[in-house]
Each structure stands twice: as C-alpha cells, then as structure tokens.
Amino acid sequence: MQAFLVDVFAIHPRGQEQHLGGGIFHAASAGEAETLATREFWQPSLEDKGFDIGFQTDQPDAGWKVMSLESLRAFMPRQAYA
C-alpha cells in the first residue's frame, strides 16, 4: 500500500467547479485511491445537475483528470453509488 493525496472536484461542462474534499488515501495504485476518495466525497445529487467528477492526485503519472461518471462506474464496484 502507498499513500496518495487525492482531491475530488465536481466539474460542470459550463466551467463551474466545486472542490468536494480530499485527503490521504492508502491504496495499491492512484486509481484505487481515487475510487476511495469518490466513495468518501462524491454526492449523487451532483450527477443529476450535470456534473462530472475530477481528481487531482499527487502522483506524476496520475496528475489531474476529469472523468464522466459513466466511465468511472465501469471501473468501480456498484456499492460506491448505493
């Protein structure tokens, strides 16, 4: 396990951005750390308002990325959105 610093953002196509939270997550990879951060900070009501999820991770190979929730769900267990 490694420690990853992950910040989670809600990003709207019109340019709105909202920082949801962040912290240090212990995981085997940056992707797994982002999944843990999503479970902790994502608010399902934001999806209804058209927001996608964005991450800023302290690892050079992960960096900053925005993902649609549909693509994120393809990599996440269902229970994250229960």
Side-chain angles (χ1 to χ4, degrees):
M1 293 284 185
Q2 295 178 327
F4 296 91
L5 178 61
V6 180
D7 281 306
V8 180
F9 297 85
I11 310 291
H12 197 275
R14 287 190 240 160
Q16 297 168 315
E17 182 177 297
Q18 180 181 353
H19 182 250
L20 302 177
I24 296 175
F25 295 87
H26 297 276
S29 68
E32 288 181 27
E34 291 167 353
T35 298
L36 293 171
T38 299
R39 289 180 185 161
E40 177 119 6
F41 296 111
W42 183 252
Q43 302 164 23
S45 62
L46 292 170
E47 181 179 4
D48 297 336
K49 297 176 184 173
F51 284 88
D52 287 326
I53 192 165
F55 303 101
Q56 187 166 17
T57 306
D58 66 342
Q59 298 298 307
D61 62 323
W64 167 259
K65 63 183 169 188
V66 176
M67 297 181 71
S68 70
L69 291 167
E70 291 78 24
S71 62
L72 183 65
R73 280 194 192 105
F75 299 105
M76 291 181 59
R78 283 286 243 169
Q79 68 221 32
Y81 288 92

